[in-house]
Amino acid sequence: MTKTFNVAVLGATGAVGEQMLKTLERLDFPIASLKLLSSKRSAGKKIKFKGEEITVEEAKPESFEGIQLALFSAGGSISKALAPEAVKRGAVVVDNTSAFRMDEEVPLVVPEVNEHALQNHKGIIANPNCSTIQMVAALEPVRKEFGLKKLIVSTYQAVSGAGSEAVDEMYEQSRQIMDNEEIDPKVLPVSGDKKHYQIAFNAVPQIDVFTDNGFTFEEMKMINETKKIMEDSSINVAATCVRLPVETGHSESVYIEVEKDGLDVSRLQELMKDAPGITLQDDPSQQIYPLAADSKGKDDIFVGRIRQDLDEKKGFHLWIVSDNLLKGAALNSVQIAFSLVNTGLLK
Amino acid sequence: MTKTFNVAVLGATGAVGEQMLKTLERLDFPIASLKLLSSKRSAGKKIKFKGEEITVEEAKPESFEGIQLALFSAGGSISKALAPEAVKRGAVVVDNTSAFRMDEEVPLVVPEVNEHALQNHKGIIANPNCSTIQMVAALEPVRKEFGLKKLIVSTYQAVSGAGSEAVDEMYEQSRQIMDNEEIDPKVLPVSGDKKHYQIAFNAVPQIDVFTDNGFTFEEMKMINETKKIMEDSSINVAATCVRLPVETGHSESVYIEVEKDGLDVSRLQELMKDAPGITLQDDPSQQIYPLAADSKGKDDIFVGRIRQDLDEKKGFHLWIVSDNLLKGAALNSVQIAFSLVNTGLLK
């Protein structure tokens, strides 16, 4: 008989929480009992899981008594407060916020890239930022064989990454603009920041707040997390992160320079074909390339538009697309949970 | 008294033609007579210019008798057929199609960058591609003082660059998707290509058709035109061009590496402040950066998000935005016409 586990999902009523539950169900994670947790405001809601109705409870330190695996996705401050409480009570926490990602004691894991880092966990495992996950998973097979010297990414990110309020704002604004009505932006680009801008029929070069060096936190996450997950701080990484009027599906225009000779477009395509979790969609003659709208609801990372730089022999361009709520968040968290089970780390 | 000229506008009923007429009127170009030309299909339409109604005529070789300045924006094949006819009859042609841009005999001009190239014209002057113009105009002050070694751009391009049919398609699709109706893409990404894809709430990494090297023609235009306008074929240029659900206003995420030491963010900001046709919008602490939706109807090129690369001392990132129908097309053509007048080349 398969060993089963007592699981808690914190942030069960959010956009990522919803996808976590769907993914646990769909991939048939070995669950003995499931507890759904949220803020006080959402407690009392009822959510169906495998045909059974579960009432969402307010998350408290005591909620984690007897829990073996806790998936967190309820915001950084809640993770900071409750993850240590869950660990204290014997749970392993897979945290989908940025709270612990750069903590040296905390493994930051994309299973296809650095599953082995789980071995050093001390109770908390961090799930990387959505835009980082799809990029490192696609580039790891290249790095492993040819090394990565430099990486410059410009993102085309979907609004669902900013929560369901942002999705509602995008659709409401779209209607208002088409009906020549006034718009009143309140959520995007960053709900907690000072100013809000039109997202419908626009492109906004700000995701998360700005840091002192002129890069946004989202850009610094991509830069720092990439080096940590690939375990190579010598890779030069730069990012420009842009929010688009797309509901779900992050796209990335990525330029890389590899260390070693011998890579060409067909070898890069082969590497993508063989990589776990990657689907190659790359045939310009048939206008085949990844599209954000097609990625919604799919587990894979889609890669196309692969071409060699015209000047730099070791330079290549790629277009990388994935569902930011699945591989970018919920799916990767559940995959980490499976890795914990499969490597015997979850007891 | 100011000398005035007999002017013809070919493609007067198109999106760019409309902006050309508005710009000629607004900037008070010295016109003696104005002839509006189009395909047979649009001939007979009436268009107001400075309060006077002008009937659009079908463009024929004879249409250019007595014309001194002809602004062309009716598609490459029409330019190829009629520009030589206009020149034969004594007109100077400013052509906004790609027909002659890479012709060695034809100057490719952004007045702020290479007005001097007009001196060598043999009757035809080419207006560069929209996405190229805003980039080279912003980068020329940097190139002049610090040299340009490398340039990697990812674009965020508006649908009006593909014509008014594309704009209609975007809005119609947006409504259909929000109303859960079927969509039927027919125009974008490229009206003449085999397949058509959803543009509403999507990001499509194809503008113009593909070339054999995996880059699209739009990308190759940015690469080749940049070198020609800046008169330096040693600059390494790479481009990834992406169409977005934005009506008007192209945005560009640009990474540059300069040749010389000494450039920093504040110097780069100063260069932008002093540059003709450029407005610096760059204050992260106040969330000030250029936005496509704000650029519509404005003459200037807007530059922000300027920051130094974290690894490469001579590397910088910029976000460059401009109205693709104005500085990207109509305005630049009219500015070329003014340059011809001011330098005595239009007689």
Side-chain angles (χ1 to χ4, degrees):
Chain A
M1 228 187 81
T2 317
K3 192 165 159 47
T4 56
F5 303 91
N6 298 325
V7 177
V9 174
L10 171 57
T13 60
V16 172
E18 190 190 319
Q19 292 302 324
M20 279 179 173
L21 294 173
K22 281 189 186 170
T23 307
L24 288 167
E25 187 169 328
R26 182 166 55 94
L27 301 184
D28 207 19
F29 190 83
I31 294 176
S33 74
L34 178 63
K35 191 180 265 192
L36 303 187
L37 301 169
S38 74
S39 64
K40 200 173 180 177
R41 192 165 49 94
S42 297
K45 282 191 185 170
K46 286 173 201 305
I47 293 177
K48 272 207 171 170
F49 185 83
K50 291 197 172 180
E52 207 183 313
E53 212 163 59
I54 304 176
T55 303
V56 179
E57 302 169 41
E58 185 188 349
K60 295 175 181 172
E62 312 83 75
S63 309
F64 300 95
E65 295 289 351
I67 294 294
Q68 292 160 288
L69 171 74
L71 303 178
F72 275 45
S73 187
S77 58
I78 295 172
S79 286
K80 273 192 181 140
L82 289 178
E85 297 291 341
V87 172
K88 206 189 292 174
R89 287 166 177 83
V92 175
V93 173
V94 179
D95 181 35
N96 189 42
T97 76
S98 63
F100 301 103
R101 285 182 192 149
M102 294 313 296
D103 189 323
E104 279 181 24
E105 302 275 282
V106 174
L108 181 67
V109 176
V110 179
E112 295 91 334
V113 181
N114 63 336
E115 189 183 53
H116 62 90
L118 291 172
Q119 300 295 336
N120 308 318
H121 88 82
K122 296 184 167 58
I124 301 174
I125 294 134
N127 191 73
N129 188 44
C130 46
S131 48
T132 312
I133 293 174
Q134 66 186 67
M135 184 171 76
V136 297
L139 296 182
E140 175 64 7
V142 185
R143 191 202 64 77
K144 239 159 101 179
E145 202 166 323
F146 294 91
L148 264 186
K149 193 176 156 194
K150 191 184 191 76
L151 192 171
I152 299 173
V153 55
S154 294
T155 72
Y156 300 71
Q157 292 182 238
V159 291
S160 60
S164 54
E165 276 189 336
V167 175
D168 294 344
E169 178 165 276
M170 176 189 75
Y171 284 127
E172 191 190 2
Q173 264 180 26
S174 300
R175 275 205 196 277
Q176 287 168 331
I177 288 170
M178 288 193 287
D179 293 343
N180 287 310
E181 292 172 12
E182 287 279 304
I183 62 163
D184 182 20
K186 282 183 171 149
V187 181
L188 290 165
V190 182
S191 61
D193 213 340
K194 294 181 288 284
K195 290 178 191 168
H196 299 103
Y197 298 121
Q198 173 184 333
I199 184 62
F201 310 111
N202 205 4
V204 182
Q206 184 192 354
I207 300 183
D208 211 329
V209 295
F210 282 95
T211 71
D212 289 341
N213 63 9
F215 287 79
T216 61
F217 265 102
E218 182 81 359
E219 289 159 358
M220 292 311 298
K221 284 177 207 164
M222 290 196 80
I223 293 167
N224 294 325
E225 293 180 16
T226 297
K227 297 179 190 200
K228 177 166 176 178
I229 298 164
M230 289 185 157
E231 297 172 359
D232 184 352
S233 60
S234 74
I235 307 170
N236 289 359
V237 186
T240 300
C241 291
V242 181
R243 188 76 75 186
L244 297 191
V246 168
E247 186 185 314
T248 298
H250 285 355
S251 308
E252 297 174 347
S253 169
V254 180
Y255 170 73
I256 56 167
E257 277 176 29
V258 298
E259 295 278 1
K260 293 182 197 161
D261 282 319
L263 186 58
D264 59 19
V265 168
S266 63
R267 182 80 194 102
L268 220 169
Q269 289 174 324
E270 266 171 48
L271 285 170
M272 294 299 109
K273 264 188 215 162
D274 297 343
I278 307 287
T279 296
L280 180 71
Q281 293 184 326
D282 193 15
D283 184 356
S285 74
Q286 299 301 312
Q287 291 176 268
I288 303 290
Y289 38 72
L291 288 170
D294 295 342
S295 74
K296 194 181 167 188
K298 309 242 169 73
D299 283 350
D300 263 15
I301 296 158
F302 301 91
V303 182
R305 299 274 355 249
I306 297 174
R307 56 216 195 277
Q308 192 158 20
D309 193 71
L310 299 177
D311 300 297
E312 173 56 55
K313 229 186 80 187
K314 295 182 192 171
F316 294 86
H317 303 268
L318 308 91
W319 181 250
I320 303 171
V321 176
S322 192
D323 183 320
N324 50 297
L325 299 178
L326 288 177
K327 186 59 187 171
L331 175 64
N332 196 67
S333 288
V334 173
Q335 286 173 330
I336 291 172
F338 270 107
S339 290
L340 289 167
V341 173
N342 295 336
T343 55
L345 288 165
L346 201 64
K347 282 160 195 145
Chain B
M1 228 188 81
T2 317
K3 191 164 158 47
T4 57
F5 303 91
N6 298 324
V7 176
V9 173
L10 171 56
T13 59
V16 172
E18 188 190 321
Q19 293 302 323
M20 278 179 174
L21 294 173
K22 281 189 186 168
T23 308
L24 287 168
E25 186 169 330
R26 181 165 56 92
L27 301 184
D28 208 17
F29 190 81
I31 293 176
S33 73
L34 179 63
K35 191 179 266 191
L36 303 187
L37 301 169
S38 74
S39 65
K40 199 170 178 178
R41 194 164 50 94
S42 297
K45 283 191 185 171
K46 286 174 201 304
I47 293 177
K48 272 207 171 168
F49 185 82
K50 292 199 173 178
E52 205 183 314
E53 211 163 61
I54 303 176
T55 303
V56 179
E57 300 168 40
E58 185 187 348
K60 295 175 182 171
E62 312 83 75
S63 309
F64 300 95
E65 294 290 352
I67 295 296
Q68 292 161 290
L69 172 74
L71 303 177
F72 275 44
S73 186
S77 57
I78 294 172
S79 286
K80 273 191 182 141
L82 290 178
E85 297 291 341
V87 172
K88 208 188 292 175
R89 288 166 176 83
V92 175
V93 173
V94 179
D95 181 34
N96 188 42
T97 77
S98 62
F100 301 103
R101 284 182 192 148
M102 295 313 294
D103 189 324
E104 279 180 23
E105 302 275 286
V106 174
L108 181 66
V109 176
V110 179
E112 295 90 335
V113 181
N114 63 336
E115 189 182 54
H116 63 90
L118 291 172
Q119 300 295 337
N120 307 317
H121 89 82
K122 297 185 168 57
I124 302 173
I125 294 134
N127 192 73
N129 187 45
C130 46
S131 48
T132 311
I133 293 174
Q134 66 186 68
M135 184 171 76
V136 296
L139 296 183
E140 175 62 8
V142 185
R143 191 202 63 79
K144 239 158 100 179
E145 202 166 323
F146 294 92
L148 263 186
K149 193 176 156 196
K150 193 186 188 76
L151 193 172
I152 299 173
V153 56
S154 294
T155 72
Y156 300 69
Q157 291 182 237
V159 291
S160 60
S164 54
E165 276 190 335
V167 175
D168 294 344
E169 178 165 276
M170 176 189 75
Y171 284 126
E172 191 191 1
Q173 263 180 28
S174 300
R175 277 207 196 275
Q176 287 168 331
I177 288 169
M178 289 193 286
D179 293 343
N180 287 311
E181 291 172 12
E182 286 280 305
I183 62 163
D184 182 19
K186 281 183 174 148
V187 181
L188 290 163
V190 182
S191 61
D193 213 342
K194 294 181 288 284
K195 291 178 190 166
H196 299 103
Y197 298 122
Q198 172 184 334
I199 184 63
F201 309 112
N202 205 4
V204 181
Q206 183 192 355
I207 300 183
D208 211 329
V209 294
F210 281 95
T211 71
D212 289 341
N213 64 9
F215 287 80
T216 61
F217 265 101
E218 182 82 358
E219 289 158 358
M220 291 312 298
K221 284 178 209 163
M222 292 195 79
I223 292 166
N224 294 325
E225 293 179 17
T226 297
K227 297 180 190 200
K228 178 168 176 177
I229 299 163
M230 290 185 156
E231 297 172 359
D232 183 353
S233 60
S234 75
I235 306 169
N236 290 358
V237 185
T240 300
C241 292
V242 181
R243 188 76 75 185
L244 296 190
V246 169
E247 187 185 315
T248 297
H250 285 356
S251 308
E252 296 174 346
S253 169
V254 180
Y255 170 73
I256 57 167
E257 276 175 30
V258 297
E259 295 278 4
K260 294 182 196 159
D261 282 319
L263 185 59
D264 59 17
V265 168
S266 64
R267 183 78 193 103
L268 221 170
Q269 288 174 325
E270 267 171 46
L271 285 170
M272 293 299 109
K273 264 188 215 161
D274 296 342
I278 307 286
T279 296
L280 180 72
Q281 293 185 325
D282 194 16
D283 183 356
S285 74
Q286 299 301 314
Q287 291 177 267
I288 303 290
Y289 38 71
L291 288 171
D294 295 342
S295 73
K296 195 182 166 186
K298 309 241 170 74
D299 284 349
D300 263 16
I301 296 157
F302 301 91
V303 182
R305 300 277 348 254
I306 296 174
R307 55 216 196 276
Q308 192 157 22
D309 193 72
L310 300 176
D311 300 298
E312 172 56 55
K313 229 187 79 187
K314 296 184 192 171
F316 294 86
H317 302 269
L318 308 91
W319 180 250
I320 303 172
V321 176
S322 192
D323 184 321
N324 50 298
L325 299 178
L326 289 177
K327 185 59 186 169
L331 175 64
N332 196 68
S333 288
V334 174
Q335 286 173 331
I336 290 173
F338 270 108
S339 291
L340 288 167
V341 173
N342 296 337
T343 55
L345 288 165
L346 201 63
K347 283 162 196 146

